[in-house]
Amino acid sequence: MMVNAVVSELKEYVEGVIETHGGNPGDLIQILREIQDNRNYLSPQTLRDVAEELGLSSGYVLGVAEFYSFFYTTQKGRYHILFSDSITDRMLGKEALMMRLCERLGIAVGETRRDGRVSVDNTSCTGVCDQGPAILVNGYPLTRLTVKRIDRIVSLVEQNVPLDQWPEGYFTVADNIRRKGLLLDGVFEPGVALQTALQKGQDAILGEIRRSGLKGRGGAGFNTAMKWEYCRQESGEHFVVCNADEGEPGTFKDRVLLQSYAHQVIEGMTLCAFVIGARRGFIYLRSEYRYLLEALQGVLEQRHRSNLLGNSILESDDLNFDIQIHLGAGAYICGEESALIESLEGKRGIPRNRPPYPVSHGYLGQPTVVNNVETFAAAANIGLKGGDWFAAVGTPKSSGTKILSISGDCAHPGIYEFPYGVTIEHILQQCGAEEILGVQVGGPSGTFISEQETHRCLGFDDLATGGSFMVFNKERDVLEIVRNFTHFFAHESCGFCTPCRVGTSLIKDQIDKICAGHGSAGDLAQVTQLAGLVKNASHCGLGQTAPNVVLDTLERFPECYEHRLKELSFEPGFDLDDALEISRQMTGRDDAGAHLEQGGI
Ligand code: SF4
């Protein structure tokens, strides 16, 4: 009877949540998020109830729940602690701090304590690498961890102190802006760019964006005016999507733009809506930035009150536009625009076949512009100050500025805005980096350059980046960096295509073997071949760029790999005799013939 009451209470609760979403299966991810926030995890019964209510199969709903790292199908602690496992967190001592926390709480990594109080695990970069090592506690970031802070966290957890009573400032994330330029320096009055746009008209504003030479700031660098123009030419309902899923390890500039420059970003989206004729837009906010949600919703409400969102914006019948925030659930691949759209539609974030592109077949198969947070912020400023103002800075092929997230071995990590064309050497001087081994420009999917290449320039024609700029000094072990990145890609591969799903795992295993001192010249040859294969045969950008760090470092630092190799020409990747232990136990055999090295099998 008790069990039945619990089951029917759960069902009623699920029905209530789904009702608030109008029973829309496209809201599946938001529905699962809400239920999990309330119930701690997604039990098999919950998933069945959700499936039934939405008219979906249980397998489909389970598939979606298991795709995203921030959905849990097993119980988590009331304090769920996730350690950011970016390479820069590791360089700041994350591993030792995590071990200390686990030891003192009497728990292993990946476990929930028997009393249900606490669970601890790793997660990919949380977007605060300038203030690491960092953790998320129930989704709220706590930065600059030290031994003292870890010990304090242990006592707060053991005393069951609610998060809103933890010491003041624990969950404050500073902007940490070190250098301002075109976008971060100016005073931006909400609505002024829209007023200008309404006076000039759609064509004139598109002309300004074209004249500015603005290219997408997410890294791919597609011409923004061209994207908007292609989209507006298509018939159907138009959508504007802001890609705020900055998951590239070492990138955190969107965090600052969303936290302190949200009006610019939203005004840029509204400007785009004006140009392409969209009435609806979405901000796809990465799960790690969940803590920014309420503030962002506050900005949307404020803009509604000021008649900068909603119907007849600034009294114009030509501009009706509203924005919803869609919270992601932890999947790096959703930074890829077609995977992001799939996720917006309530599905697993599997990249679509392209063409057709989102400009013609995007959200719900309709024409959609997807742009990065920084691109929209730049567009708002261009709408106000004109294309020439923007194009006067930077280089002919890379106009304007780039906001960098600088982390790693430098005296002043943080946010820097530089004109395109700046040399790497100048950036290193500004952030206080010395005796460098190399720089990872553009995150793990970008380019690893050595100290001999600091004359190179930031720009689409040389070193393009979505914003990540990780500095490594001469004390660092290249292979540890490669190991961290290869683990990241193997974890984040969506599994859709074989070259990436299998290849990223095999590369990770080979690098682990080499790092452990068991690699041979044969392994090196194999990993090189694999890297080429994954790069050339993968379906989307993730697989196509995942091997970059292996190939870049093999080219620039071959000696680092060679020093770790064994003399042997070959050693198997795993111990076959050890792998047969389970079979021996099952059959109850342990005689000589059941052991590989004794020649029995
Ligand atoms: Fe998924 Fe990787 Fe294939 Fe992209 S390349 S579709 S991430 S498996």
Side-chain angles (χ1 to χ4, degrees), residues 428-491:
L428 292 169
Q429 275 166 7
Q430 296 265 305
C431 70
E434 288 170 357
E435 294 288 305
I436 68 146
L437 168 87
V439 183
Q440 183 73 38
V441 184
S445 68
T447 313
F448 196 114
I449 60 162
S450 73
E451 59 161 339
Q452 270 98 48
E453 298 168 85
T454 56
H455 58 279
R456 294 181 65 179
C457 299
L458 209 66
F460 295 105
D461 34 1
D462 189 358
L463 290 167
T465 169
S468 176
F469 191 95
M470 298 177 183
V471 185
F472 302 104
N473 68 23
K474 287 191 170 21
E475 311 271 288
R476 301 297 170 191
D477 178 352
V478 169
L479 277 172
E480 270 313 302
I481 300 164
V482 176
R483 206 177 75 79
N484 181 268
F485 291 175
T486 53
H487 276 248
F488 168 76
F489 285 116
H491 179 257

Side-chain angles (χ1 to χ4, degrees), residues 333 351 493-497 500-501 538-540 542-543:
I333 188 60
S493 165
C494 82
F496 171 74
C497 66
C500 171
R501 183 184 66 248
S538 290
H539 173 65
C540 83
L542 187 151

Side-chain angles (χ1 to χ4, degrees), residues 437 477-479 514 553 557-565:
L437 168 87
D477 178 352
V478 169
L479 277 172
I514 294 168
T553 52
F557 306 97
E559 67 288 351
C560 295
Y561 285 84
E562 281 150 16
H563 285 159
R564 299 285 265 272
L565 300 183

Side-chain angles (χ1 to χ4, degrees), residues 32 42 44 46-47 49 60 63 75 85 100 125 167 217 243 260 265 272 360 364 387 459 511 520 538 545 549 589:
L32 293 177
L42 300 167
T46 309
L47 295 173
D49 287 346
Y60 179 85
Q75 192 133 18
D85 197 26
R100 185 179 180 95
C125 174
R217 266 36 186 172
N243 183 347
S260 301
V265 177
C272 175
S360 59
L364 303 179
I511 295 294
S520 63
S538 290
T545 56
V549 71
R589 280 187 64 182

Side-chain angles (χ1 to χ4, degrees), residues 129-410:
C129 303
D130 54 332
Q131 296 161 55
I135 52 173
L136 293 175
V137 187
N138 296 350
Y140 291 89
L142 206 161
T143 61
R144 302 183 197 279
L145 290 175
T146 56
V147 167
K148 204 170 151 199
R149 267 200 172 183
I150 286 287
D151 292 347
R152 189 75 205 279
I153 291 167
V154 171
S155 65
L156 291 163
V157 168
E158 294 299 11
Q159 288 164 32
N160 213 9
V161 178
L163 288 194
D164 57 6
Q165 289 169 32
W166 283 30
E168 210 187 319
Y170 258 36
F171 296 107
T172 304
V173 179
D175 277 351
N176 212 8
I177 299 173
R178 306 275 188 175
R179 189 182 197 279
K180 293 183 175 183
L182 286 185
L183 304 186
L184 301 179
D185 213 8
V187 178
F188 188 88
E189 198 185 321
V192 183
L194 286 179
Q195 247 158 15
T196 311
L198 286 167
Q199 280 159 13
K200 289 185 173 176
Q202 283 106 327
D203 290 342
I205 289 300
L206 185 59
E208 293 298 340
I209 302 286
R210 195 180 298 117
R211 202 164 19 257
S212 75
L214 176 65
K215 291 179 178 172
R217 266 36 186 172
F222 193 81
N223 184 288
T224 304
M226 218 182 265
K227 187 182 267 193
W228 292 14
E229 192 155 21
Y230 285 152
C231 188
R232 85 196 289 232
Q233 284 164 1
E234 295 288 331
S235 54
E237 185 180 359
H238 294 70
F239 292 95
V240 178
V241 177
C242 174
N243 183 347
D245 193 41
E246 71 168 349
E248 189 73 37
T251 318
F252 44 85
K253 46 107 189 159
D254 289 352
R255 175 196 90 208
V256 175
L257 288 171
L258 294 167
Q259 188 160 268
S260 301
Y261 296 82
H263 277 289
Q264 292 191 31
V265 177
I266 294 166
E267 191 130 337
M269 290 178 71
T270 316
L271 210 66
C272 175
F274 177 59
V275 170
I276 68 168
R279 286 175 160 262
R280 286 175 66 196
F282 297 93
I283 296 174
Y284 187 99
L285 183 66
R286 75 183 295 228
S287 203
E288 291 81 351
Y289 293 165
R290 159 70 184 80
Y291 71 101
L292 297 175
L293 181 64
E294 281 79 19
L296 276 173
Q297 269 162 345
V299 175
L300 293 182
E301 278 160 28
Q302 198 186 328
R303 292 183 71 89
H304 266 282
R305 285 196 300 275
S306 309
N307 190 214
L308 299 175
L309 272 181
N311 290 329
S312 303
I313 291 173
L314 293 174
E315 313 304 330
S316 166
D317 292 338
D318 293 334
L319 188 50
N320 305 284
F321 182 61
D322 218 336
I323 294 174
Q324 260 174 276
I325 302 174
H326 179 110
L327 205 50
Y332 168 72
I333 188 60
C334 290
E336 197 276 346
E337 62 178 6
S338 68
L340 182 150
I341 290 170
E342 288 286 292
S343 184
L344 265 184
E345 293 178 358
K347 304 173 195 160
R348 294 184 300 153
I350 306 276
R352 293 175 177 174
N353 284 328
R354 300 187 309 167
Y357 293 95
V359 284
S360 59
H361 295 73
Y363 179 64
L364 303 179
Q366 300 297 311
T368 305
V369 162
V370 183
N371 273 142
N372 175 263
V373 171
E374 187 182 345
T375 313
F376 281 126
N381 281 282
I382 293 164
L384 179 64
K385 296 171 188 162
D388 291 338
W389 163 81
F390 193 77
V393 175
T395 71
K397 285 189 178 164
S398 308
S399 58
T401 57
K402 182 76 197 88
I403 304 177
L404 293 182
S405 317
I406 300 187
S407 62
D409 293 316
C410 59

